[in-house]
Amino acid sequence: MKALAYEKAHTLDAFAITPAEVAEPRLRDGDLLVEVRAIGINPGEAAIRQTRSAEPGGRLVLGWEFAGVVAAAGPAATGFAVGDRVMGTGDFTRDGSWAERVAVDHRVVAKIPDRLAFTDAASLPIGVLTAWESLFRDQDALPPGVGRVLVVGGAGGVGSMATQLLKAMTPAFVISTASRPESRKWATAMGADLVVDHRGDLAGQLRTAGINHVDLVFSTSGTSGHLGAIVEVLRPFGHLAAIDLTGPVDLGAFTGKSLSLHSEMVFSKIVAGGDVGSQGRILARAADDVAAGRLRPIVTTTLEGLTAETMKTAHALAESGRTIGKTVIRVTG
């Protein structure tokens, strides 16, 4: 089958993801085989392209956010039938969805409403799961006493879904950060009660709005660079949830306020163990919420065709740090 693949980690300037003929996916007992119709593009995939190479003689097919149609199911893949329209993530230790078909554990897949376009559905899974698990952890609720939440990077894919989930599921007062007029407008459209500029004095902007502290900060990007400001605006015994903790973090900054730190990696349950099926249930609930108008898809840029050119464009957008919402590639249909 056709796919986009590469061999060695590389920069955007030396972009080397190209069309390739690869073997058909091998189904495990609990897998679905999905014909890919659309894929969402994430900054994390661009980061993997920059740092992860294939084994000698091998190739990598990335892509862990997709929408498509079930083509086959393993004997243990219950709840789905051939022809079902679905969205899901996958397992980053296996080939991803930058291909005509992808094999995926059925527990991280959910059916989508007939009227939801594949491109819209493909904009949801990573943002929904990352935001949900960061905010609600494994309890499906905010920590006790959390009434004000600051979302750092409120116009990005994950931040957009975090704001929507908070407004749809909790009574929290939601503050988003955005620095440009267009990103501020988007964050407001996602439901933010207040938008502040993360490039400025966060604490000062909050005080001007009559807010002395927040209870939880959800940081989606640049956490290490904003750490001082984050600690300043958090109340004692407050919470920081972050998705980009890849380098050293000065935990001493947390002890003075007895702050808690939560990390999040959307593939942790399927790779390290846990209730994998919870992710499929979260996505199914999100699909229902979209159908009911409680959540909205976040696709803002749609590229046509799974080609090296569209993928390079998508990666350039992801690496720009200025993307609003989600970039989606329509593969077919």
Side-chain angles (χ1 to χ4, degrees):
M1 69 174 181
K2 296 178 181 178
L4 290 182
Y6 73 95
E7 297 178 5
K8 296 181 179 180
H10 58 278
T11 65
L12 185 65
D13 289 341
F15 196 75
I17 296 178
T18 58
E21 285 291 330
V22 301
E24 289 285 341
R26 289 187 176 183
L27 289 190
R28 299 172 182 174
D29 286 350
D31 279 352
L32 300 175
L33 180 66
V34 178
E35 294 180 351
V36 179
R37 301 295 178 85
I39 55 176
I41 303 298
N42 297 279
E45 292 158 340
I48 290 173
R49 187 210 77 235
Q50 296 174 51
T51 57
R52 179 179 168 191
S53 296
E55 295 294 328
R59 85 289 176 274
L60 293 176
V61 178
L62 306 184
W64 298 288
E65 186 172 42
F66 64 87
V69 178
V70 175
T78 58
F80 296 90
V82 172
D84 283 345
R85 303 170 77 251
V86 297
M87 64 180 178
T89 54
D91 176 349
F92 76 96
T93 66
R94 304 173 67 181
D95 280 352
S97 58
W98 296 353
E100 291 181 291
R101 289 170 288 281
V102 62
V104 58
D105 190 309
H106 75 287
R107 296 173 295 175
V108 295
V109 173
K111 297 176 186 176
I112 58 176
D114 288 341
R115 63 179 177 274
L116 184 62
F118 287 118
T119 48
D120 286 335
S123 75
L124 298 170
I126 291 291
V128 166
L129 290 176
T130 302
W132 184 295
E133 293 180 348
S134 296
L135 296 166
F136 308 133
R137 309 300 290 164
D138 57 352
Q139 302 300 313
D140 292 352
L142 288 171
V146 171
R148 294 192 186 107
V149 179
L150 171 64
V151 179
V152 178
V158 175
S160 297
M161 293 313 309
T163 301
Q164 290 194 70
L165 288 171
L166 286 165
K167 298 309 295 182
M169 296 178 56
T170 81
F173 185 90
V174 182
I175 307 152
S176 289
T177 74
S179 61
R180 293 171 289 138
E182 58 268 34
S183 56
R184 294 176 68 89
K185 182 178 179 181
W186 176 265
T188 300
M190 292 296 100
D193 298 295
L194 174 67
V195 181
V196 295
D197 187 348
H198 51 266
R199 296 180 180 176
D201 177 4
L202 280 179
Q205 293 173 79
L206 293 180
R207 285 193 297 269
T208 298
I211 299 171
N212 292 322
H213 64 256
V214 299
D215 306 301
L216 186 153
V217 174
F218 177 31
S219 182
T220 67
S221 64
T223 300
S224 60
H226 295 127
L227 196 58
I230 287 171
V231 171
E232 183 180 4
V233 301
L234 276 169
R235 63 163 168 83
F237 297 93
H239 310 274
L240 168 61
I243 64 174
D244 65 336
L245 296 175
T246 57
V249 176
D250 179 13
L251 295 180
F254 292 76
T255 57
K257 287 187 172 181
S258 299
L259 303 176
S260 64
L261 173 64
H262 309 283
S263 62
E264 160 64 14
M265 199 272 284
V266 74
F267 305 108
S268 61
K269 289 180 179 177
I270 201 165
V271 173
D275 182 9
V276 177
S278 68
Q279 296 196 322
R281 295 191 295 273
I282 291 167
L283 291 180
R285 178 169 176 172
D288 290 341
D289 286 341
V290 170
R294 292 184 290 270
L295 297 177
R296 55 177 279 192
I298 58 171
V299 56
T300 52
T301 300
T302 302
L303 304 174
E304 297 291 340
L306 189 62
T307 67
E309 291 74 21
T310 57
M311 189 59 69
K312 183 176 182 181
T313 298
H315 278 234
L317 290 170
E319 291 186 26
S320 72
R322 299 172 65 84
T323 302
I324 295 173
K326 178 62 66 78
T327 298
V328 170
I329 296 176
R330 182 185 286 115
V331 177
T332 182

